[in-house]
Amino acid sequence: MKTHLILYISQETRNSISALVAGIMYFCKERELEIRYASSADEIWENISSSSINLIAFSVTTVNFNERYRLIQEIKKKSDKRKNIFYIAGGPHADGDPDSLVAAGFDYVFSGYSEESFPLFLNNIFDQIKAQSPRIIIGKTSNLWQKKSFAKFAADYFPPLEIQRGCRFKCNYCQSCTRLNKPIYKSKDAIDEYIKDFHSKNFKRFSFVSP
């Protein structure tokens, strides 16, 4: 059976989702997987297939938690409890309080960096569902993140390149030190790959981000 992965895209999440998509494209080459994007409940509903497993994935922050909760409740009500639809959450709120996302109705919650753990989950999706595997999945940063650009989101859109993860400081209000308390950095080759991709599309300006 084919798998439809529907990624909910909003203004505040389109940059951070690029590494996840790149990881999926790298690790799921043999998987019969179709990735679709949606920015509203109507678009999500239009992309749901009756003959496939549908995974609807959201990046959740504490600020947008209630909005995401209302959104999945709206889709669940409309879908009339179809058994081929599963709801997935990741993002900052999943790091700090994953249990609240399970309580809110998400089937699987990915905490931490997920560009490797999420594709591995997708590759074994049938076994995961059948075995009723743990609903909270803790991911760690991938070595591949350091070696590859993992930035190209679409042919006409490049988000800023994340060149550092983790932080040696332990500020209570910050997510960075929760995920990694020792900084790691993009390799020079990965940064070169990013810049070459930029120039190949005739972009003139690029930017980097770090904690």
Side-chain angles (χ1 to χ4, degrees):
M1 183 182 290
K2 194 171 185 178
T3 302
H4 275 191
L5 173 61
I6 304 169
L7 297 172
Y8 183 77
I9 305 296
S10 60
Q11 188 64 34
E12 75 268 23
T13 62
R14 66 176 190 161
N15 285 346
S16 60
I17 209 168
S18 61
L20 180 65
V21 174
I24 292 169
M25 300 303 290
Y26 185 88
F27 289 108
C28 297
K29 293 176 182 178
E30 305 300 323
R31 177 92 191 113
E32 191 176 357
L33 175 71
E34 184 171 341
I35 301 176
R36 299 187 177 186
Y37 304 100
S39 57
S40 68
D42 288 339
E43 288 185 8
I44 290 173
W45 186 250
E46 290 170 3
N47 282 296
I48 291 175
S49 169
S50 59
S51 59
S52 303
I53 290 178
N54 298 276
L55 306 174
I56 308 174
F58 301 84
S59 179
V60 184
T61 67
T62 303
V63 173
N64 67 32
F65 176 90
N66 289 332
E67 183 270 332
R68 298 291 192 268
Y69 172 76
R70 290 192 296 268
L71 187 58
I72 70 165
Q73 294 307 314
E74 179 182 346
I75 299 167
K76 284 185 175 184
K77 184 177 180 180
K78 196 170 183 178
S79 65
D80 193 27
K81 298 181 180 180
R82 288 190 193 175
K83 297 189 181 299
N84 67 330
I85 301 175
F86 298 90
Y87 302 87
I88 295 172
H93 194 86
D95 286 353
D97 189 9
D99 292 316
S100 67
L101 292 166
V102 173
F106 288 95
D107 296 297
Y108 298 99
V109 177
F110 285 81
S111 180
Y113 299 110
S114 301
E115 67 271 0
E116 185 169 348
S117 59
F118 187 51
L120 293 177
F121 169 85
L122 293 176
N123 282 334
N124 298 286
I125 183 63
F126 299 111
D127 293 334
Q128 300 278 4
I129 293 171
K130 186 177 179 181
Q132 297 183 336
S133 59
R135 297 177 67 182
I136 297 175
I137 300 166
I138 308 298
K140 297 181 179 180
T141 191
S142 167
N143 289 333
L144 197 64
W145 174 85
Q146 294 179 278
K147 299 175 182 177
K148 302 290 291 183
S149 168
F150 269 21
K152 182 160 45 174
F153 180 59
D156 58 349
Y157 177 70
F158 282 77
L161 182 66
E162 183 187 20
I163 59 172
Q164 177 186 332
R165 285 181 171 179
C167 182
R168 63 188 178 88
F169 298 104
K170 296 182 180 180
C171 304
N172 291 332
Y173 58 82
C174 184
Q175 175 193 15
S176 296
C177 61
T178 303
R179 285 186 165 186
L180 280 174
N181 57 18
K182 182 180 180 181
I184 61 172
Y185 304 93
K186 278 283 189 191
S187 68
K188 179 180 179 298
D189 288 343
I191 295 173
D192 287 344
E193 176 190 344
Y194 176 77
I195 295 172
K196 288 176 182 177
D197 279 344
F198 243 74
H199 284 309
S200 71
K201 300 296 181 182
N202 294 318
F203 285 101
K204 303 298 182 184
R205 181 178 179 179
F206 53 85
S207 56
F208 303 126
V209 292
S210 65

